[in-house]
Amino acid sequence: MEELPIIQKTYDLIKWYIPILTRLPKIHKFTLGDRMTNQLYDLLEGLLVARYRQEKLSVLEPLKSIIDILKYQTRILFEFNLIPIHRYEYAGKLINEIGVDLGGWIKQQSNYQKSVKN
């Protein structure tokens, strides 16, 4: 079974980001690093749950805030000089792509819900 692109992108982001987060200095590793790690896994988990739910919107909508939080946390990493600009740009690109995919999935589900009600 082929994976949904948004799930694959999120999986790839986790594989890329977790090793970076585990190498953060101790002062950031157990605060920002752990929070980001949890957000990444929560995002993947939410996407997987939504995939199999009949009513997907209630699961997908809260994931938008996780993506926004990850954007700001990534920015903090960069502004604290914990990641170089090329990693900041790459992470931002991946997070934005996931956000666009999520927005599209939410829109598709909203349209579907409207059509079912009519």
Side-chain angles (χ1 to χ4, degrees):
M1 176 192 274
E2 191 170 317
E3 202 57 76
L4 293 173
I6 189 172
I7 292 173
Q8 187 61 54
K9 286 177 188 176
T10 303
Y11 180 84
D12 292 343
L13 178 63
I14 290 170
K15 279 183 19 183
W16 178 82
Y17 226 153
I18 297 300
I20 293 167
L21 296 173
T22 59
R23 289 190 305 266
L24 290 174
K26 205 179 274 191
I27 191 170
H28 298 291
K29 181 179 182 177
F30 297 111
T31 52
L32 184 56
D34 284 349
R35 286 178 181 214
M36 291 184 75
T37 298
N38 290 333
Q39 296 286 354
L40 288 164
Y41 286 128
D42 288 348
L43 178 60
L44 180 62
E45 182 179 312
L47 294 170
L48 290 169
V49 167
R51 179 180 183 190
Y52 296 104
R53 279 262 172 96
Q54 187 74 18
E55 204 296 300
K56 298 175 185 333
L57 283 176
S58 63
V59 178
L60 294 174
E61 288 284 344
L63 299 180
K64 293 189 300 187
S65 62
I66 291 177
I67 290 173
D68 280 344
I69 292 166
L70 284 167
K71 285 178 186 178
Y72 277 93
Q73 289 170 328
T74 299
R75 187 169 151 196
I76 289 169
L77 285 177
F78 174 68
E79 290 180 359
F80 285 175
N81 295 315
L82 297 169
I83 58 172
I85 188 133
H86 70 278
R87 287 194 172 162
Y88 171 66
E89 290 171 343
Y90 183 73
K93 177 180 168 266
L94 291 177
I95 294 168
N96 282 334
E97 287 178 9
I98 292 167
V100 168
D101 288 356
L102 178 61
W105 196 3
I106 289 171
K107 184 176 180 179
Q108 181 262 335
Q109 286 299 306
S110 295
N111 291 339
Y112 173 75
Q113 292 294 327
K114 289 175 189 172
S115 71
V116 169
K117 289 180 182 178
N118 293 330

